[in-house]
Amino acid sequence: MSRGTPKPLSGFPEFLPAQREVERQVIEALSRTFELHGFANIETRAVEPLDQLLRKGETSKEVYLLRRLHEESEEGHAGMGLHFDLTVPFARYVLENAGKLEFPFRRYQIQKVWRGERPQDGRFREFVQADIDIVGQGELPFHHDVEVTRVMLHALGTLTSPDSIGLPGFTLQVNNRKLIQGFYLGLGISEDDGGVENTMRVIDKLDKMPEAKIRELLRDEAGLSDEQVDQCLALAAISAEDDSFADQVRELGVTHELLDEGLDELSALVRACAPLGNDRVRIRAELKIARGLDYYTGTVFETRLDGHDNLGSICSGGRYDALADDGRTTYPGVGISLGLSRVLVPLVNKGLLVADRTVPSVVLVALPDEESRVASDAIADSLRANGVPCEVAASAQKFGKQIRYAERRGIPFVWFTDRDGNHQVKDIRSGEQVDADPQAWLPPTNDLKPTIVRTDNQ
Amino acid sequence: MSRGTPKPLSGFPEFLPAQREVERQVIEALSRTFELHGFANIETRAVEPLDQLLRKGETSKEVYLLRRLHEESEEGHAGMGLHFDLTVPFARYVLENAGKLEFPFRRYQIQKVWRGERPQDGRFREFVQADIDIVGQGELPFHHDVEVTRVMLHALGTLTSPDSIGLPGFTLQVNNRKLIQGFYLGLGISEDDGGVENTMRVIDKLDKMPEAKIRELLRDEAGLSDEQVDQCLALAAISAEDDSFADQVRELGVTHELLDEGLDELSALVRACAPLGNDRVRIRAELKIARGLDYYTGTVFETRLDGHDNLGSICSGGRYDALADDGRTTYPGVGISLGLSRVLVPLVNKGLLVADRTVPSVVLVALPDEESRVASDAIADSLRANGVPCEVAASAQKFGKQIRYAERRGIPFVWFTDRDGNHQVKDIRSGEQVDADPQAWLPPTNDLKPTIVRTDNQ
C-alpha cells in the first residue's frame, strides 16, 4: 500500500492517460512507418556491463550503476549500469547475435534510456528514444545512408501531418564528415596533432558561442592560422535546401580527395531526399553540423523542431564505419535516433497536445438499475465483438449523471436500453439519439480511437 | 563501438527479431482487449523512492538500487531503486494524480520490472508484466471484481485462440480471502495471535510440501488442533468449475458471517465468469489459493498454464481494500498481473512459438542493376502508400540470389520489373508469378503481418 501524497521526481516525466495516448499514437505511427520500410523491431535489456557503457568517454559520468540492496560483495557495484542510449546496446546485440541475423540488418528500437545527470531545463533522467539503424557485415553501401534519411523523413512527415498527430514541422540538417575533414586537410590543417579533430570540436560549438570566441578557440586550441579560421567559418556558413551547396564549397578553392568524396555523398543524399520534403518537413545541407561524438565517419544528421530551437537537435545520427567489431568482422552502420520525450514532454506539458478522451471507451452503456448489470454487460460484449471499445456505467445513477460521467471522460456515445429491450444510442456532443442494434452498430471510424487535439493558441 | 564477442547476461532475456514479433503480437492482442473494456494505458517511471519499494516487506531484498557513477554523497545510494512490480508504482501514481483522475479508474500497464535475485530456473532479473487494475476513490463495488476477471478471461481467450497467437490453455483459479478467514474464524482459530495469518501462510505452501509437513506446520507454527488441521485441509481440497463448491464448504459445518460473505462473492464471481470459459480457458474455484502477500482482502487469483505447471502461477492478483491512502481518502482496488515474460520466454526459447519471417517486409522489390535503384525505390513507395511493408534488394545480384535473399528472411513476395516497365510479382512459396500494378496490388490480408507459428512437436 502506498501512503501520503508523493511528489513527482524531477527528470522522470510521467503522463496522465490522455497525455500518454499522444505518446502511444506517436509510437504507433513511427513503428508503422519503420515497418513499411522493412525495419524489424527489437528490444534490448535495460542494463549493460559497465565496461561497454564506459567506452563512449564523454557520457560515462551520466551512467546509473545498479546494486542489489543486500549485495555483500562490492563487485555488484561496478558490474552493470542502465543504458544511456540505444546505440551501445544495439552494437552489443549485433555482435552477440551476428550468427543469427541476416545482413544488412534493419532494426528499429523504441525504449527508455537513463542518464544520471542533474535535471535542467529540457534534460531528463529517463526518456524514450526511437532509433533506426541499418548495419552491414563487412560492408554497407552508401545508398543505405540515403535510405535511413528517407525513412526518417517519411516518419517525421507522418507525425506532422494534420490528419495524424499534427506535430510542429521539422528541419533535418545533414552534413558529411568526409566533406569537413577533407576540407580541413585541403586547408593544410594536420590530422596527426589533433588539428582536424579539435577544429571539428570547436565548430560544433558555433550555435553556443559568439563568433569571436570561436575564432579565438580555433586559433588557440586547434592551432589554425587566421586564413584557415576564415575558411573554416566560411564553410560552416554554407547552407542550402538543394545540392547548390557543392558549388559554394568549390568556390572556396580548397581541394582534397576526401572533400570530393564527401561532396559527392552529400549531394547524392540531398538530391534523393529533397523531393520528400514539404511545408512541414524539410531537409537541408547545413555545413556547420559536425556532431561532437567521434565515431561518425560520413553522413551526419541533426534536426530542429520548428518554433522550438531551445530543444536543440531532437533527432540526430549518422554513418559509423565501425559500429561493432568482433576481431574478425567489422559491422558498419548508419542510423538516426529521435528523442521522443525531448519532443513530446514539453509539448504535452504545455497542453499543446492532448487526446480528446481519457479512456479508450467510445460508448458508455448506461445502467437503468443494478439488476440490469448482466444485460448491460451483454450489450457491451456485443459492441466489443465488433471492435467497439466500451464500458458499462459504474453505478445506476440518474441518466443525467451517467451522461455527465461520460462527458467528464470524453466518451462520445451513451447507450440506452428501455424495459422493452429497445436500444438507442446518443451522441452526447450533438445530442442526437437514434435507434441502434448492439449486434451491428458502429461509431464513425474517426471516433474509434481518441483523436489528438493540437492547441497552438493556449 | 562494441568489440569482442559479448555473452548473454543471465536473467536478462532478449529476443531475436522473429521472437520479438511473438511478444509484440501478444502485447498488441492484450492492449486491444484491455482497451475494448475501457482500460486506459499508462506507463510509470522505472524508479521509485526506496521507502516506497521497501514497504512490501518480503521482496525488499530483490530491489536494485541506483547510484550515479560519480556520485559524491552516499545519499544517491539509497535514494532510488528500480520497481520490482507495477502495483507499487501504480499506487503511488494514483495518489500523486488523484485530483486529475476520474474514478473508478481503469488502467492497464505493460512494462518491464526488475528483481535483483539470483537467476534460477524460470526466474528473471528483468521481465515484462501486463497489469490491469480498477481503482475506486473511497469505495469500489464488488462487481468490479467480476469485471477484471472477465477482462482477463477475454484476454487469455484471445491469446490462446488458434486464429491469434495460439498459446497453450490457461486455468484461472479463484478464491476469496473472506471465505478462508471466515472459515478459520468459524473454526475458532484466533486472529489476535496471528493464528489466521499463519494458517493462511502454511496453506499457501500446499503445492510445495508434502501433506505431513503441512500438518506439522499447522500444528506447530499456527497452533492448530488436529481437528482444525483436518478442517483446514478439507477446505483447501475443495475445487469446482461452478458454484457447487459452496455446498461442499457448507457440508464441513463451519459457520461465520465473514465466511458467508466470502461464499456469496466467490459464487457470484464463478457464476458470472464460467460462461466465458471454453476448452482453452477455464475458471475454477480453488479453495487452497491464498496468495502469500498480506494486502489482499477478498477475491484472489492464480493462473496455471496447461502443460507448464513448473512455471507456477503466471497470472495473479486480487482485491485490496486499501491499495493507497493519502490520509484523507482510501483507494480500494482489484487487479490481475500477467507475467508475460514468464509465459513467453520459455515457449519462445524452446522454439515452440516464432514468427514466420524475421522482417516486417511482405515484398522484396528486386533490383535489376544499381542504376535502377531510384525506380525500385519508387515502386516500393507506391506499395507502402497502400500499406504494404517492403524493402528494395540491398544489391543487384542475380535474381536467383535475390529470391534466396527473400527466402532467408521469410519474405513471401518478390517484385520484378522488366526493361519495358512491365511489373510482375512472384509468390516464392508457390512459385506463382502474375502481372501486378504497383499502385494497386495488395497481398492477401493474412500476409500483411508475420504469422505466429506454433510448433508443439519439436
Side-chain angles (χ1 to χ4, degrees):
Chain A
M1 192 181 97
S2 191
R3 288 197 190 82
T5 306
K7 292 205 177 63
L9 266 186
S10 173
F12 291 89
E14 279 185 336
F15 287 142
L16 290 167
Q19 300 174 327
R20 166 66 179 154
E21 180 63 19
V22 177
E23 185 178 48
R24 272 169 61 77
Q25 290 200 20
V26 167
I27 290 173
E28 198 179 294
L30 287 173
S31 303
R32 177 82 188 126
T33 306
F34 299 154
E35 289 177 9
L36 281 173
H37 289 265
F39 284 67
N41 181 244
I42 64 162
E43 288 207 340
T44 53
R45 63 189 187 224
V47 307
E48 295 295 331
L50 218 50
D51 57 343
Q52 293 281 341
L53 293 171
L54 299 187
R55 282 220 176 110
K56 209 167 152 186
E58 272 197 275
T59 46
S60 63
K61 62 182 175 307
E62 303 169 357
V63 172
Y64 275 122
L65 305 185
L66 291 192
R67 191 170 67 97
R68 287 164 62 200
L69 184 57
H70 295 296
E71 190 81 54
E72 274 156 37
S73 71
E74 282 293 295
E75 187 198 342
H77 242 92
M80 295 191 299
L82 294 177
H83 58 220
F84 55 83
D85 74 0
L86 300 176
T87 305
V88 170
F90 176 56
R92 189 264 312 153
Y93 179 96
V94 167
L95 285 185
E96 193 176 313
N97 299 292
K100 298 169 189 162
L101 299 172
E102 296 290 341
F103 295 92
F105 177 43
R106 293 174 180 85
R107 84 87 174 75
Y108 77 94
Q109 199 169 342
I110 304 179
Q111 281 185 253
K112 286 181 179 143
V113 304
W114 295 270
R115 294 189 188 175
E117 48 195 336
R118 294 193 182 278
Q120 303 151 10
D121 192 41
R123 294 264 176 193
F124 303 118
R125 293 175 156 194
E126 175 180 76
F127 52 102
V128 180
Q129 287 195 185
D131 280 28
I132 52 171
D133 285 273
I134 307 176
V135 175
Q137 197 168 31
E139 55 158 20
L140 185 75
F142 172 74
H143 64 76
H144 292 295
D145 290 40
V146 177
E147 182 181 353
V148 287
T149 318
R150 287 167 55 96
V151 175
M152 193 50 88
L153 281 171
H154 185 182
L156 295 176
T158 304
L159 296 185
T160 55
S161 162
D163 305 331
S164 172
I165 319 287
L167 287 190
F170 292 90
T171 304
L172 187 63
Q173 304 172 322
V174 281
N175 197 1
N176 191 297
R177 281 281 185 101
K178 291 178 190 167
L179 190 164
I180 324 176
Q181 286 177 22
F183 188 87
Y184 295 168
L185 291 171
L187 272 177
I189 301 172
S190 163
E191 190 136 44
D192 295 335
D193 65 357
V196 167
E197 201 178 314
N198 288 334
T199 305
M200 208 140 58
R201 186 162 294 148
V202 175
I203 290 291
D204 200 38
K205 295 176 181 157
L206 259 175
D207 283 343
K208 292 169 199 151
M209 291 180 181
E211 192 182 304
K213 182 71 187 166
I214 295 287
R215 283 181 177 276
E216 186 190 314
L217 290 175
L218 286 175
R219 271 189 308 261
D220 300 349
E221 292 194 4
L224 268 53
S225 70
D226 282 349
E227 196 202 346
Q228 286 172 329
V229 168
D230 286 341
Q231 287 279 57
C232 288
L233 288 176
L235 182 76
I238 293 173
S239 166
E241 287 207 359
D242 54 30
D243 62 0
S244 65
F245 71 88
D247 288 340
Q248 297 180 56
V249 174
R250 293 210 173 86
E251 278 165 20
L252 297 177
V254 177
T255 56
H256 193 276
E257 202 181 1
L258 195 59
L259 171 61
D260 289 340
E261 211 180 306
L263 283 170
D264 286 350
E265 286 192 359
L266 189 58
S267 300
L269 186 77
V270 170
R271 276 196 303 272
C273 296
L276 299 182
N278 55 39
D279 58 339
R280 306 182 313 267
V281 177
R282 289 160 303 279
I283 185 166
R284 192 168 186 94
E286 193 73 68
L287 273 51
K288 70 181 174 198
I289 304 293
R291 302 297 304 151
L293 301 167
D294 62 2
Y295 51 61
Y296 294 114
T297 50
T299 306
V300 284
F301 309 99
E302 291 198 354
T303 309
R304 307 282 152 170
L305 186 64
D306 293 356
H308 297 268
D309 262 1
N310 62 318
L311 295 180
S313 175
I314 49 84
C315 183
S316 314
R319 149 74 68 152
Y320 18 44
D321 281 339
L323 170 69
D325 191 331
D326 61 11
R328 295 180 307 280
T329 312
T330 300
Y331 298 85
V334 58
I336 315 188
S337 172
L338 171 64
L340 208 61
S341 301
R342 205 157 179 184
V343 175
L344 284 187
V345 172
L347 298 177
V348 165
N349 282 349
K350 282 179 191 159
L352 299 181
L353 285 173
V354 69
D356 66 351
R357 52 185 200 253
T358 62
V359 291
S361 309
V362 183
V363 179
L364 177 74
V365 179
L367 192 65
D369 45 53
E370 200 49 50
E371 291 65 46
S372 306
R373 187 166 292 280
V374 170
S376 294
D377 279 341
I379 293 166
D381 281 339
S382 296
L383 292 169
R384 289 176 191 130
N386 292 324
V388 181
C390 59
E391 58 189 87
V392 174
S395 63
Q397 297 174 296
K398 286 181 181 161
F399 282 152
K401 284 201 170 180
Q402 294 192 40
I403 289 172
R404 280 193 290 282
Y405 178 103
E407 266 169 356
R408 278 199 305 277
R409 289 160 177 78
I411 302 173
F413 295 95
V414 179
W415 191 280
F416 298 102
T417 306
D418 70 14
R419 287 173 190 199
D420 302 324
N422 300 312
H423 302 285
Q424 288 204 311
V425 65
K426 184 189 188 84
D427 183 333
I428 62 173
R429 297 161 300 189
S430 65
E432 190 190 18
Q433 185 165 335
V434 297
D435 290 340
D437 174 2
Q439 313 284 342
W441 181 84
L442 289 175
T445 310
N446 279 344
D447 286 330
L448 269 175
K449 66 178 185 180
T451 300
I452 305 307
V453 184
R454 186 180 161 184
T455 50
D456 277 9
N457 45 357
Q458 54 102 46
Chain B
M1 193 180 96
S2 191
R3 288 197 191 82
T5 307
K7 291 205 179 63
L9 266 184
S10 173
F12 291 89
E14 279 186 336
F15 287 144
L16 289 167
Q19 300 174 325
R20 166 66 180 157
E21 180 63 21
V22 178
E23 185 177 48
R24 274 171 59 78
Q25 291 199 21
V26 167
I27 289 173
E28 197 180 295
L30 287 173
S31 303
R32 178 81 189 127
T33 306
F34 299 155
E35 289 177 9
L36 282 173
H37 288 266
F39 284 67
N41 181 245
I42 63 162
E43 288 207 340
T44 53
R45 62 187 189 226
V47 306
E48 295 295 330
L50 218 51
D51 57 342
Q52 294 280 342
L53 293 173
L54 299 188
R55 282 220 176 110
K56 208 168 154 185
E58 271 197 273
T59 46
S60 64
K61 63 181 173 304
E62 304 170 358
V63 174
Y64 274 122
L65 306 186
L66 291 191
R67 190 171 67 97
R68 288 165 61 202
L69 184 56
H70 295 293
E71 191 80 57
E72 274 154 37
S73 72
E74 282 294 295
E75 187 197 341
H77 242 92
M80 295 190 300
L82 294 177
H83 58 220
F84 56 82
D85 74 0
L86 300 175
T87 305
V88 170
F90 176 56
R92 189 264 312 154
Y93 179 96
V94 167
L95 286 184
E96 193 176 315
N97 299 293
K100 298 167 189 163
L101 300 173
E102 297 289 343
F103 295 93
F105 176 44
R106 293 174 180 84
R107 83 87 175 76
Y108 76 94
Q109 198 170 343
I110 304 179
Q111 282 185 253
K112 286 181 179 143
V113 304
W114 295 270
R115 294 189 188 174
E117 48 194 336
R118 294 193 182 277
Q120 303 152 7
D121 192 40
R123 294 266 175 192
F124 303 118
R125 294 176 154 193
E126 174 180 76
F127 52 101
V128 180
Q129 287 195 185
D131 279 29
I132 53 172
D133 284 273
I134 307 176
V135 175
Q137 196 167 32
E139 54 156 21
L140 185 76
F142 173 73
H143 64 77
H144 292 295
D145 291 40
V146 176
E147 184 181 351
V148 288
T149 318
R150 288 168 53 98
V151 175
M152 194 49 87
L153 281 171
H154 185 180
L156 296 177
T158 303
L159 296 185
T160 55
S161 161
D163 305 331
S164 174
I165 319 286
L167 288 191
F170 292 90
T171 304
L172 186 63
Q173 303 173 323
V174 282
N175 197 2
N176 191 297
R177 279 280 185 103
K178 293 177 191 168
L179 190 161
I180 323 177
Q181 285 177 23
F183 187 88
Y184 295 168
L185 292 171
L187 272 177
I189 301 173
S190 164
E191 188 136 45
D192 295 335
D193 65 356
V196 167
E197 201 179 313
N198 288 335
T199 305
M200 206 139 57
R201 188 160 294 147
V202 174
I203 289 290
D204 200 38
K205 296 176 182 158
L206 259 176
D207 283 343
K208 295 169 196 147
M209 291 179 181
E211 192 183 304
K213 180 73 188 166
I214 295 286
R215 284 183 175 274
E216 186 190 315
L217 289 175
L218 285 175
R219 272 190 308 259
D220 300 350
E221 293 193 3
L224 268 54
S225 70
D226 283 348
E227 195 200 348
Q228 286 171 329
V229 169
D230 286 341
Q231 287 280 56
C232 288
L233 289 176
L235 182 75
I238 294 173
S239 165
E241 289 208 357
D242 54 31
D243 62 2
S244 64
F245 71 87
D247 287 341
Q248 297 181 56
V249 174
R250 292 208 173 85
E251 279 166 20
L252 297 177
V254 177
T255 56
H256 192 275
E257 203 181 1
L258 196 59
L259 171 61
D260 288 342
E261 210 179 306
L263 282 170
D264 286 351
E265 286 191 359
L266 189 59
S267 299
L269 186 78
V270 170
R271 275 196 302 273
C273 296
L276 300 180
N278 54 40
D279 58 340
R280 305 181 313 266
V281 177
R282 290 159 303 279
I283 185 167
R284 191 169 186 95
E286 192 74 67
L287 272 53
K288 71 181 171 195
I289 303 292
R291 303 295 305 151
L293 301 166
D294 61 2
Y295 52 61
Y296 294 114
T297 50
T299 307
V300 284
F301 308 100
E302 292 198 354
T303 309
R304 306 283 152 170
L305 185 64
D306 292 357
H308 298 268
D309 261 1
N310 61 317
L311 295 180
S313 174
I314 50 84
C315 182
S316 313
R319 149 76 69 155
Y320 19 41
D321 280 338
L323 171 69
D325 191 330
D326 62 11
R328 296 180 306 279
T329 312
T330 300
Y331 298 84
V334 58
I336 315 188
S337 173
L338 172 63
L340 207 62
S341 302
R342 206 158 176 182
V343 176
L344 284 187
V345 172
L347 297 178
V348 165
N349 281 349
K350 282 180 193 160
L352 298 181
L353 284 172
V354 71
D356 65 352
R357 52 187 199 251
T358 62
V359 291
S361 310
V362 183
V363 180
L364 176 74
V365 179
L367 191 66
D369 45 53
E370 199 50 48
E371 292 65 47
S372 305
R373 186 166 293 281
V374 171
S376 294
D377 278 341
I379 292 165
D381 280 339
S382 296
L383 293 169
R384 288 176 190 130
N386 292 324
V388 181
C390 59
E391 57 189 87
V392 175
S395 64
Q397 296 173 297
K398 287 182 181 162
F399 283 153
K401 283 201 170 178
Q402 295 192 39
I403 290 173
R404 279 192 291 283
Y405 178 104
E407 268 170 354
R408 278 199 306 274
R409 289 159 177 78
I411 302 173
F413 294 95
V414 180
W415 191 279
F416 298 102
T417 306
D418 70 16
R419 287 173 191 197
D420 303 324
N422 300 311
H423 301 285
Q424 289 206 310
V425 64
K426 183 188 189 85
D427 183 332
I428 62 173
R429 298 162 298 191
S430 66
E432 192 190 16
Q433 185 164 334
V434 296
D435 290 340
D437 174 2
Q439 314 284 342
W441 181 83
L442 289 175
T445 309
N446 279 345
D447 285 331
L448 268 175
K449 67 179 186 181
T451 301
I452 305 307
V453 185
R454 185 179 162 185
T455 50
D456 278 10
N457 44 356
Q458 53 99 48

